[in-house]
Amino acid sequence: DPELTLALPAPVTAATGMDALTHNIESYLSPAYHPLCDGIALEGTRIAARALATAVREPGNLAARSDMMMASMMGAIAFQKDLGAVHSCAHALGAVCDLHHGLANALMIEPVMRFNLAAVPEKFAELAHVVGAGGGEAFVTWLATLKREIGIAPDLTAVGVKRDQIGRLVEVAEQDICHQTNPRPCNREDFMRFFDEAL
C-alpha cells in the first residue's frame, strides 16, 4: 500500500530508494546463474530509475511511491542471486559507523561500480540502456547525477566517517560474504581504495 509511505521524509525516501536500486543492480551484476532474477533485477532497476527522483520530489505522488515499493520487492526477489561488494562496504559502515544501510549503499555504489565496469561491460551497457543512459561508463555517471538530484550526501566525510576508521571498515567488509559474488574479485587493497574514494 503506497499510502503507508506518504509521510516518509525525503532523506529516508532517497536512502531507502537507493537501497532498492542497489539491490537490483548488484543482483543483476552477480555472476551467479539465475536468468529469472536477471530479468526481475533489470525491470526493478528500470522502475526505480523512473520513479525515485519523483518520489523524493513529490512525496504525495502515489504512482511513484507504488513504483518504488515494487522496485524494492523486485530487488529483494532478485538478490537470491546474491549481492556484491557495495553491500559488503555498506554492512561495514553500518557496523562500525552506525550509518543507515540505504545511505551507506548510496555512498559506496560509485567506487565499486567503477571497479566492476571492466569485468562485465556488457551488463553495464544493459543497465545503462534500462535507465536511459548512453553506455556502460555513462551508467556510473547517471548514478552520480541521480544521487545529487535526490539529495544524497556527497561523500562519507559529510556523514561523519573518519579516515582513521578505514582500517576497521576494511576488516569488516573483507569478512562479509556479499563480495564473494561481486562480478570482479576484490581484496583488502581494493576495499581500502573503495572507502578512500568514497571519503
Side-chain angles (χ1 to χ4, degrees):
D1 183 353
E3 291 185 357
L4 296 174
T5 69
L6 292 181
L8 203 63
V12 181
T13 300
T16 54
M18 284 301 301
D19 189 30
L21 183 60
T22 305
H23 288 157
N24 283 290
I25 292 168
E26 285 212 293
S27 297
Y28 179 63
L29 293 176
S30 164
Y33 180 76
H34 203 316
L36 287 171
C37 286
D38 286 343
I40 292 168
L42 279 174
E43 183 63 6
T45 299
R46 187 186 70 81
I47 291 171
R50 79 169 181 227
L52 179 50
T54 302
V56 174
R57 188 174 55 248
E58 303 171 22
N61 188 315
L62 280 177
R65 292 287 193 183
S66 181
D67 276 348
M68 287 311 303
M69 292 182 78
M70 180 58 68
S72 177
M73 183 177 70
M74 292 171 82
I77 292 169
F79 72 55
Q80 65 185 286
K81 265 188 78 183
D82 291 322
L83 294 161
V86 179
H87 268 78
S88 290
C89 293
H91 292 155
L93 284 163
V96 176
C97 305
D98 198 28
L99 202 62
H100 181 281
H101 178 67
L103 178 59
N105 275 324
L107 291 168
M108 296 308 304
I109 195 166
E110 286 170 78
V112 177
M113 290 300 112
R114 283 193 293 269
F115 175 80
N116 286 337
L117 178 58
V120 282
E122 71 289 345
K123 285 193 168 185
F124 273 83
E126 191 60 35
L127 286 167
H129 173 72
V130 299
V131 304
E137 291 187 21
F139 178 69
V140 183
T141 304
W142 175 83
L143 282 169
T145 301
L146 174 66
K147 286 165 50 178
R148 285 195 300 272
E149 185 179 353
I150 64 176
I152 296 294
D155 50 42
L156 291 175
T157 303
V159 295
V161 179
K162 308 290 190 225
R163 185 164 296 279
D164 62 9
Q165 293 176 301
I166 287 183
R168 180 60 183 145
L169 288 167
V170 169
E171 288 178 8
V172 176
E174 272 191 298
Q175 294 171 22
D176 188 84
I177 64 169
C178 286
H179 69 86
Q180 294 176 10
T181 45
N182 198 63
R184 181 178 174 186
C186 44
N187 57 31
R188 179 176 181 80
E189 288 70 31
D190 297 320
F191 279 114
M192 290 188 72
R193 184 164 72 254
F194 299 155
F195 286 115
D196 187 63
E197 288 181 12
L199 279 171

